[in-house]
């Protein structure tokens, strides 16, 4: 696994853990059961987590796909709720890291200079 793959895996795990900790423990909802909200907020990253645990190579793609939702939610929550601003900005940061890390190997391959064929 490349270093970008390791960062991708860590970011997927961090986003999952952040949802559980944020909505289940640090800032639980007032009008709903915290475990229900934690599970609902963790749902988008669960396919990527399952693929990661299975060792599938598409885990980064699905993690980055879910990270776009988490990034949007993090920016919105940071803007609207000052009491969870640090958690929300952390979510947006981890989401951005996940998108970049999941795309890194493909970007490197795309922009890598091709060697000229040897002269014969």
């Amino acid at each position: 696994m490349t270093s970008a793959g390791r960062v991708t895996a860590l970011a997927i795990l961090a986003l999952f853990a952040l949802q559980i900790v944020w909505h289940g423990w640090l800032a639980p909802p007032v009008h709903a059961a915290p475990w229900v909200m934690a599970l609902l907020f963790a749902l988008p990253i669960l396919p990527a987590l399952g693929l990661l645990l299975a060792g599938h190579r598409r885990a980064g793609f699905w993690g980055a796909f879910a990270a776009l939702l988490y990034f949007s939610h993090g920016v919105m929550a940071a803007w609207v709720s000052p009491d969870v601003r640090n958690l929300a900005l952390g979510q947006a940061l981890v989401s951005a890291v996940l998108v970049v890390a999941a795309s890194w190997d493909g970007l490197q391959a795309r922009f890598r200079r091709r060697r000229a064929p040897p002269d014969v």
Side-chain angles (χ1 to χ4, degrees):
M1 182 181 286
T2 65
S3 59
R6 286 188 288 276
V7 171
T8 301
L10 286 173
I12 290 171
L13 293 171
L15 268 179
F16 176 74
L18 179 63
Q19 302 314 307
I20 300 300
V21 170
W22 178 356
H23 301 288
W25 181 47
L26 292 178
V30 177
H31 302 293
W35 67 271
V36 172
M37 292 306 289
L39 181 64
L40 286 175
F41 273 93
L43 277 178
I45 200 72
L46 282 179
L49 185 64
L51 289 171
L52 179 68
L53 294 176
H56 199 277
R57 64 185 186 96
R58 294 285 183 202
F61 171 79
W62 289 107
F65 184 74
L68 296 174
L69 298 172
Y70 288 124
F71 180 82
S72 299
H73 175 262
V75 169
M76 186 267 318
W79 186 267
V80 177
S81 303
D83 52 330
V84 294
R85 184 166 288 147
N86 291 337
L87 291 168
L89 290 175
Q91 176 175 288
L93 178 67
V94 173
S95 298
V97 167
L98 176 53
V99 169
V100 170
S103 305
W104 190 256
D105 290 335
L107 287 170
Q108 266 189 331
R110 169 68 176 94
F111 293 110
R112 186 177 297 137
R113 287 191 168 183
R114 294 187 179 142
R115 293 187 202 175
D119 291 334
V120 187

